[in-house]
Amino acid sequence: MKQSWLNALLCCAILGATAGAQQKNPPKPQVEKSSPSENIANRPANAPEEPRAQREERRQEDAPQQPRGEGQKPSMKWDMTETAPVVTHHEINVNGRALRYTATVGRLPIKDLTGTTEALMFYVAYTLDGQDATKRPVTFAFNGGPGSASIWLHMGALGPRRVALQQDGMMPPSPYHLIDNPGTPLEKTDLVLIDAIGTGFSRPADLEKGKKFWSVKGDIEAFGEFIRLYITRNERWASPLYIFGESYGTTRAAGISGYLVDRGIAFNGICLLSEVLNFETLEFSKSNDLGYQLTLPSYTMIAGYHKMLAPELLQNMEKTKSEVEQFANGEYAQALQAGDSLTADQRAHIVEQLAKYTGLKKDFIEQSNMRIDVRGFTHNLLIDQKLRVGRLDGRYTGPDPNGLMDTPFYDPTGSATDPPFTATFNNYLRNDLGYKTDMPYYVSARDMAGATEPGQRGGGPFQWEWGSAIEGYPDTATALRAAMVKDPYLKVLVMEGDYDLATPYFAANYTMNHLDLTQQYRKNISYARYAAGHMVYLPMDGLAKMKKDYDSFLDQTANRQ
């Protein structure tokens, strides 16, 4: 793992200066009207389309120019012409209540101090009709990666329409379709779903500008400027403001909170779903044992789900969860610290306890030097059944497509979620929201032109810059702490899943317990826990609980009392 941008996060360029570079008269929105009572799943095929001139202007946008000189690599560039957003009107039914809302789809420019557009950031905004904007909350939401579009939060959790999955969140048979989302918080808050530069329809002006934004610091600056420009153009400065980040999106959210509080933008609340602020808590290496310690309780919960623990442990998994947490912080942490100085009996005891709490064979644990990483666990828990266990969600299992022993890492979760989300979202954008473009929608920035394999890092232009090794592990927890102590009204909600190995819940708890906050500020942090994985909203019961938790959070914080 490369290292932190921490010092850089505290020394970002002033947003106010960038603000002056934005154009005073942005393009007016193209309004596409539909009957409020019309079911958006059944819009006629001849529904009004975006004006032809606007479509043609976009048509060539994702065919980057690649001038090539002798001995030179292609120089990829994208059209930075700003076009008007597309506006449509819809109605859904949520828990017996009809919600009429407006959807706005477009891209906002991110400009330098001279007014030159360096990137266009794609977004979809949902605003409930007939509301007072000065009192109506607005939530800015995004996934993480880094290099992930926000399709997952958009179509699985927050948006008014949701991918139809099985009740337990597993993959349904095709063809895939959408349903009204019973879990959308649109009743309580307007929503702005944002795609990071290089994902979705968000594009940098060229690869050099892309490199600027494909870093911890540059990414935070871009999202910070997007939020400033959105609340400016849409006159939402007086609204209660929220950030909702998932996975690396929590890293970004924490950084944004510290970045914008110094620029006059304070948030009522921040929701951190599947949190990672301090990457030391996730890193498995010979010089860092913390990751092994903090991931262990998640191994236990997943092993319990698959009935790989002893019957006495399965009888009460909450009790077992408490036991393994104590073991992880106590005997296991001490054993890792002792290293080779452990006696043979002490080592045998720790191996025995690890086998008890993980369901793994003792010889594998011994060969792993008592240090079990995620790959080792997911590849070995159900190896007797020739199945891999999911990393993003340990409930998912599947045979390895390339053979039991032939793949460095395989996560069945992605195979079960990518097809239904990708297919339905592309159809939804173009047909229901009327956003007509020939651009490919990049679910991952690693799918950009030039990548040797979709989803694989190294073949394409997208490369994330983590920072300097001298500065330590990547960390934005300090930025969140700064925002919390500068604004004593800021509240933080941490959402975490028991079966998540990408951002284990115990690691998130460790980070929040090491912010160096007094009780006055610690009381502003609350937790919501789920019997789910990284995307706690995939199963319907997780979605219902997430809506209840976030709605309650909004009710408690919108008035900043």
Side-chain angles (χ1 to χ4, degrees):
M1 175 70 68
K2 290 197 176 179
Q3 307 299 316
S4 130
W5 276 96
L6 177 57
N7 294 334
L9 294 180
L10 304 178
C11 304
C12 298
I14 297 176
L15 257 179
T18 309
Q22 299 292 351
Q23 66 190 82
K24 297 180 180 179
N25 299 305
K28 294 182 179 180
Q30 300 291 335
V31 180
E32 181 177 317
K33 295 184 178 180
S34 62
S35 169
S37 60
E38 177 184 350
N39 186 319
I40 64 175
N42 298 311
R43 290 184 59 201
N46 60 351
E49 293 188 353
E50 185 180 15
R52 179 176 179 179
Q54 184 173 333
R55 295 202 309 272
E56 292 303 320
E57 188 172 26
R58 283 196 179 129
R59 190 171 299 276
Q60 299 300 321
E61 184 161 353
D62 215 63
Q65 304 171 21
Q66 296 185 338
R68 185 192 298 268
E70 185 176 351
Q72 292 181 334
K73 294 182 179 180
S75 177
M76 300 175 69
K77 296 184 178 181
W78 288 268
D79 182 10
M80 288 291 101
T81 303
E82 184 182 0
T83 55
V86 178
V87 179
T88 53
H89 303 281
H90 309 270
E91 178 178 329
I92 60 170
N93 187 287
V94 176
N95 303 318
R97 178 188 174 189
L99 295 182
R100 296 181 179 181
Y101 63 94
T102 298
T104 304
V105 189
R107 301 197 296 176
L108 289 184
I110 306 301
K111 300 187 177 184
D112 63 16
L113 295 177
T114 68
T116 301
T117 299
E118 296 186 311
L120 291 171
M121 292 186 72
F122 178 74
Y123 71 97
V124 179
Y126 300 103
T127 55
L128 197 64
D129 296 342
Q131 304 296 307
D132 181 354
T134 63
K135 298 179 180 179
R136 173 81 173 164
V138 56
T139 297
F140 296 94
F142 35 77
N143 283 93
S148 172
S150 296
I151 183 175
W152 314 106
L153 279 177
H154 193 163
M155 304 306 292
L158 302 180
R161 300 279 284 168
R162 167 183 161 91
V163 177
L165 301 172
Q166 296 186 43
Q167 192 72 16
D168 59 2
M170 299 297 176
M171 182 179 182
S174 62
Y176 312 114
H177 65 281
L178 299 178
I179 58 174
D180 289 353
N181 183 10
T184 181
L186 189 57
E187 292 175 278
K188 300 284 186 178
T189 177
D190 293 336
L191 300 164
V192 185
L193 285 301
I194 313 165
D195 284 338
I197 296 168
T199 75
F201 294 137
S202 298
R203 300 290 187 269
D206 53 47
L207 289 185
E208 284 304 311
K209 295 298 187 298
K211 292 177 182 178
K212 171 182 177 180
F213 299 117
W214 297 334
S215 66
V216 179
K217 173 179 177 289
D219 178 74
I220 289 171
E221 289 178 334
F223 272 83
E225 171 58 6
F226 177 96
I227 292 172
R228 185 208 64 81
L229 184 56
Y230 181 89
I231 64 176
T232 297
R233 288 192 177 182
N234 294 278
E235 300 179 351
R236 301 301 297 264
W237 278 86
S239 300
L241 302 178
Y242 292 82
I243 308 178
F244 195 118
E246 179 181 356
S247 193
Y248 185 84
T250 66
T251 315
R252 178 187 295 131
I256 291 171
S257 68
Y259 179 70
L260 288 183
V261 72
D262 289 335
R263 291 153 178 83
I265 299 177
F267 294 91
N268 290 59
I270 300 174
C271 184
L272 304 175
L273 169 60
S274 302
E275 174 217 300
V276 53
L277 308 186
N278 176 6
F279 282 78
E280 182 182 13
T281 62
L282 301 186
E283 177 71 2
F284 300 108
S285 72
K286 295 184 182 299
S287 61
N288 178 39
D289 285 331
L290 190 59
Y292 302 106
Q293 171 192 341
L294 299 179
T295 308
L296 178 60
S298 295
Y299 294 156
T300 302
M301 298 306 293
I302 293 168
Y305 179 86
H306 293 291
K307 306 296 190 263
M308 296 298 290
L309 301 181
E312 59 270 20
L313 295 180
L314 293 174
Q315 287 178 0
N316 187 338
M317 283 303 297
E318 282 303 309
K319 179 182 177 183
T320 299
K321 184 179 183 180
S322 178
E323 284 182 14
V324 73
E325 289 175 356
Q326 293 179 33
F327 172 70
N329 277 338
E331 284 187 277
Y332 187 43
Q334 294 166 13
L336 293 175
Q337 184 177 6
D340 295 342
S341 68
L342 286 176
T343 66
D345 288 344
Q346 290 172 329
R347 185 181 182 91
H349 171 70
I350 296 299
V351 169
E352 182 77 31
Q353 291 297 99
L354 287 173
K356 169 185 173 182
Y357 286 124
T358 64
L360 297 171
K361 294 179 172 61
K362 287 191 285 186
D363 59 350
F364 171 76
I365 296 171
E366 178 64 54
Q367 292 163 8
S368 300
N369 193 26
M370 304 179 299
R371 291 161 173 81
I372 306 161
D373 61 18
V374 168
R375 178 184 179 277
F377 178 81
T378 58
H379 280 208
N380 286 277
L381 180 65
L382 302 179
I383 194 168
D384 290 345
Q385 304 174 44
K386 297 185 178 181
L387 293 175
R388 299 290 189 235
V389 173
R391 168 180 170 266
L392 290 174
D393 192 327
R395 299 174 306 134
Y396 287 80
T397 63
D400 195 309
N402 294 320
L404 185 64
M405 306 302 293
D406 298 331
T407 300
F409 189 86
Y410 170 65
D411 187 350
T413 317
S415 300
T417 54
D418 284 0
F421 275 79
T422 303
T424 55
F425 188 59
N426 274 279
N427 186 65
Y428 172 67
L429 276 177
R430 291 167 170 83
N431 295 329
D432 293 358
L433 301 186
Y435 195 78
K436 309 290 185 179
T437 176
D438 287 344
M439 282 191 294
Y441 185 90
Y442 292 135
V443 174
S444 170
R446 293 167 178 83
D447 295 336
M448 292 179 70
T452 54
E453 294 182 44
Q456 296 298 315
R457 186 175 187 176
F462 178 80
Q463 295 289 333
W464 193 258
E465 176 54 56
W466 291 99
S468 170
I470 298 175
E471 298 170 0
Y473 291 94
D475 170 78
T476 57
T478 304
L480 177 62
R481 181 188 185 278
M484 293 183 70
V485 299
K486 290 176 181 178
D487 179 5
Y489 300 101
L490 173 62
K491 302 296 193 299
V492 178
L493 173 61
V494 180
M495 295 178 170
E496 47 197 23
D498 285 342
Y499 310 126
D500 178 11
L501 291 178
T503 56
Y505 78 88
F506 207 44
N509 295 351
Y510 177 92
T511 298
M512 301 307 289
N513 288 334
H514 288 78
L515 291 179
D516 189 23
L517 295 173
T518 63
Q519 186 57 36
Q520 174 189 356
Y521 297 98
R522 281 182 55 81
K523 65 181 176 60
N524 290 338
I525 303 172
S526 57
Y527 296 85
R529 297 179 174 89
Y530 302 83
H534 196 66
M535 297 181 281
V536 303
Y537 44 81
L538 290 182
M540 291 302 292
D541 56 353
L543 178 69
K545 184 178 186 306
M546 179 174 158
K547 173 177 171 56
K548 180 181 178 181
D549 292 335
Y550 193 55
D551 282 357
S552 176
F553 184 64
L554 291 166
D555 288 339
Q556 295 169 16
T557 58
N559 294 323
R560 291 184 69 85
Q561 294 179 348

